[in-house]
Amino acid sequence: EFRRVLFRSEGESSSDGTSASHNIANCPGTNFIARCGGGSNGLRWYSTSGNPDNPQFIGAWNDRYVHDACLVVYPNNGPDSAYRGRVIGFLNDGLNGGSTNTGLSIVDFGTPTNFNPSGTLLSRVTWNNAGYSHQCWHNDDFTWVISNDETALNSTWQMVNITDLNNATMGVQQGIPGNANNHNNYTKDGLLYAANYTMGLRVLDCDNGNLMNEVAFFDTYPENDSAGYNGIWSVYPYFDSGTIICSDFQRGLIVVKLDLSPVGFSFPGGLPDTVPSSGTQLLVDVSLESGFAIDTMEMDYGFASGGSGLVAGTEVSGTPGRYAFDLPSSTDCPDEVTFAFTARLTDGQVIPDPGGNYGALVADGSIVVGEWKGNSSAGWT
């Protein structure tokens, strides 16, 4: 459920409650949210348990200015058993608005039922040649936090080992070639999705923790890859559908999907909306990454009236990578048919076309759809 949040909240003075904030962070699984930034403020905590439309100010961690925060209830299978079930904050912070002694603080805020908004500092990590500690996110198994620096060390991430929350340590400052400033990054299923201003969305394999390699990108700002603040601002990769949304200064909302398959499927001339009852031929173009080879191509089909099967594709002579599939006839007309394509590789991988299933109407002529208006004077439309 999404609700409007109004500030200032109950329990704060107007001088504290109306100052600007950089953003609001949520702690999933709790009724706590927190304001980051705003004047000299640190992390200001609110409870939504009473009335989500009017969150109550419950206290603050004011050791340093907090620019952004990753707030979690530390999981029961987390590597540091001492803090399982506790509210932990990974805070990108510093003095003088975050620009001095910039770094990452790890803070224990108690438990959801015995919460301590003033927190206890567990560890603090800084890095060489730092400019401005901006934002971070943990990997899937809570062994690493991946932080970024907005004004220095462009296209580089600070890998912080968090297996021992009381003794967090710097790993490798992992980077990719490029001059774009870092901004927000988030992890999902072993991948880091990083919004890197002029270089767009960068996707890195972070399953190995300390060492990442880039596996995909989508450049939302092709004009250049220079340092500066054009291009992509943030990214959200958590939709169940796999849809990824990006916010870009110049081009607005950008919606993409990630496909790391070594096989690409496309359809010369497109796919038909209508097919004859006698059957038809469908063409599929297949592109392969280097080092992969097709063993067989297959098409599954099924008619609404009954009848389904598997058809092997035949490579079209003179057009490498193009396969023809014979969709069989239907005993009924009109009818509907669905079909999907699969590539079987010589190394044993089975790669389905992520765009399927596809569908078409089975018809040998035109179908006229009409609507009766309900009286003879209105007639048909």
Side-chain angles (χ1 to χ4, degrees), residues 13-84:
S13 69
S14 60
S15 62
D16 289 336
T18 58
S19 61
S21 296
H22 174 253
N23 65 299
I24 297 172
N26 173 54
C27 184
T30 74
N31 293 311
F32 303 127
I33 57 176
R35 289 172 58 202
C36 304
S40 60
N41 293 331
L43 194 70
R44 306 188 64 75
W45 286 97
Y46 301 81
S47 172
T48 62
S49 59
N51 179 4
D53 289 328
N54 187 22
Q56 307 295 301
F57 176 67
I58 56 175
W61 186 80
N62 280 324
D63 289 26
R64 292 176 179 82
Y65 173 92
V66 176
H67 187 73
D68 209 335
C70 175
L71 309 173
V72 301
V73 176
Y74 194 76
N76 289 330
N77 62 348
D80 194 335
S81 60
Y83 293 98
R84 292 171 181 168

Side-chain angles (χ1 to χ4, degrees), residues 10-350:
E10 295 288 334
E12 280 196 294
S13 69
S14 60
S15 62
D16 289 336
T18 58
S19 61
S21 296
H22 174 253
N23 65 299
I24 297 172
N26 173 54
C27 184
T30 74
N31 293 311
F32 303 127
I33 57 176
R35 289 172 58 202
C36 304
S40 60
N41 293 331
L43 194 70
R44 306 188 64 75
W45 286 97
Y46 301 81
S47 172
T48 62
S49 59
N51 179 4
D53 289 328
N54 187 22
Q56 307 295 301
F57 176 67
I58 56 175
W61 186 80
N62 280 324
D63 289 26
R64 292 176 179 82
Y65 173 92
V66 176
H67 187 73
D68 209 335
C70 175
L71 309 173
V72 301
V73 176
Y74 194 76
N76 289 330
N77 62 348
D80 194 335
S81 60
Y83 293 98
R84 292 171 181 168
R86 300 185 72 83
V87 177
I88 302 297
F90 302 99
L91 314 180
N92 292 85
D93 61 12
L95 304 176
N96 298 321
S99 61
T100 304
N101 193 26
T102 196
L104 179 76
S105 293
I106 301 175
V107 181
D108 173 18
F109 292 102
T111 67
T113 56
N114 188 21
F115 189 68
N116 173 23
S118 59
T120 301
L121 181 66
L122 303 180
S123 293
R124 192 156 198 281
V125 175
T126 58
W127 43 91
N128 294 330
N129 303 313
Y132 194 92
S133 177
H134 183 260
Q135 183 263 349
C136 72
W137 212 254
H138 59 83
N139 68 349
D140 296 332
D141 62 5
F142 282 83
T143 53
W144 296 89
V145 156
I146 305 170
S147 187
N148 59 62
D149 190 313
E150 188 177 17
T151 65
L153 303 166
N154 290 359
S155 296
T156 298
W157 292 268
Q158 291 73 50
M159 312 298 295
V160 180
N161 188 313
I162 57 168
T163 53
D164 180 354
L165 294 179
N166 287 296
N167 188 33
T169 56
M170 270 293 297
V172 172
Q173 292 202 67
Q174 180 74 35
I176 59 174
N179 297 317
N181 298 63
N182 295 61
H183 207 250
N184 287 14
N185 57 236
Y186 303 95
T187 65
K188 180 186 179 184
D189 298 334
L191 296 175
L192 177 76
Y193 295 82
N196 264 45
Y197 281 114
T198 59
M199 287 175 64
L201 171 64
R202 320 303 293 197
V203 183
L204 295 93
D205 180 356
C206 62
D207 219 17
N208 194 29
N210 197 39
L211 296 173
M212 298 192 295
N213 64 287
E214 187 173 80
V215 296
F217 69 89
F218 187 88
D219 191 352
T220 66
Y221 189 80
E223 287 84 345
N224 63 65
D225 292 338
S226 303
Y229 302 103
N230 292 318
I232 187 173
W233 175 263
S234 195
V235 55
Y236 186 85
Y238 297 112
F239 291 112
D240 291 339
S241 64
T243 298
I244 302 163
I245 57 175
C246 309
S247 52
D248 182 275
F249 273 114
Q250 283 68 41
R251 292 175 172 85
L253 178 68
I254 297 187
V255 182
V256 298
K257 273 199 171 183
L258 175 67
D259 180 10
L260 295 179
S261 166
V263 181
F265 297 81
S266 61
F267 307 98
L271 290 173
D273 295 321
T274 304
V275 298
S277 62
S278 58
T280 193
Q281 188 176 81
L282 303 173
L283 297 177
V284 180
D285 283 349
V286 178
S287 59
L288 290 171
E289 288 187 9
S290 177
F292 295 90
I294 296 288
D295 184 16
T296 58
M297 290 289 298
E298 298 171 343
M299 178 182 72
D300 287 288
Y301 70 89
F303 291 99
S305 60
S308 61
L310 184 69
V311 173
T314 303
E315 191 165 16
V316 177
S317 177
T319 310
R322 177 167 295 177
Y323 290 82
F325 297 86
D326 292 323
L327 182 69
S329 62
S330 171
T331 57
D332 286 0
C333 184
D335 200 353
E336 293 179 357
V337 63
T338 59
F339 47 91
F341 302 97
T342 300
R344 294 182 179 272
L345 306 187
T346 54
D347 65 1
Q349 291 190 71
V350 178

